[in-house]
Amino acid sequence: MGRHALQVQAAWVAALGPLDGGHVLRLQRGTALAPELGTRLVQACRQLHMGEGEQPWSSTDPDAGHVTVELRGPGIPEQRRVTVTGVGVDYFDALNATNAAFPAGVDMWLVAESGALIGLPRTTKVTVITHGTKGAS
């Protein structure tokens, strides 16, 4: 059995450190008839930055990886860009795969060290726009 083969049977998961895509894929998704059984994931990250302009890693944390994503879905006028520091690209790819069979899926909240918070319900489509690895500026 592979490292990520077992599904996590939890209503809520609070991840204080970064999860990889394999962990996200293991979360309970619920079913079409019982989507409320999907896990609610609260993921800590280093920073969140909404919109355009100066990016948070450019002066405050050059050693942290970052991902800029475009969000679309109900409740989001047109689209919204968010840069997340401390969560990898594979995380967002796995989140999309986990939420592909709507209404089943995982609802997620990202919480930055500053207290900034963003909710990503399972209806949100997440597209990775750019990313940088540790050590990139």
Side-chain angles (χ1 to χ4, degrees):
M1 192 173 275
R3 182 174 145 213
H4 302 298
L6 297 176
Q7 186 176 28
V8 174
Q9 301 291 316
W12 286 88
V13 171
L16 301 179
L19 296 180
D20 64 28
H23 291 109
V24 175
L25 289 171
R26 292 175 44 209
L27 297 174
Q28 184 170 296
R29 300 170 190 183
T31 67
L33 296 177
E36 70 277 5
L37 297 178
T39 300
R40 288 136 189 105
L41 171 61
V42 180
Q43 174 66 62
C45 63
R46 297 188 71 185
Q47 295 178 333
L48 290 170
H49 177 75
M50 300 271 299
E52 307 295 328
E54 182 180 343
Q55 300 302 309
W57 65 87
S58 62
S59 59
T60 61
D61 196 0
D63 293 325
H66 61 273
V67 179
T68 299
V69 295
E70 183 176 270
L71 309 175
R72 294 182 180 272
I76 302 171
E78 297 182 31
Q79 55 84 24
R80 177 85 56 181
R81 285 196 179 183
V82 178
T83 300
V84 182
T85 305
V87 176
V89 172
D90 66 330
Y91 186 95
F92 291 104
D93 291 342
L95 184 66
N96 281 332
T98 299
N99 290 339
F102 182 80
V106 171
D107 296 317
M108 184 183 75
W109 291 264
L110 288 165
V111 183
E113 292 173 355
S114 68
L117 170 78
I118 187 168
L120 300 176
R122 68 191 75 190
T123 56
T124 305
K125 300 296 181 204
V126 181
T127 304
V128 174
I129 303 298
T130 62
H131 66 280
T133 57
K134 290 185 179 183
S137 55

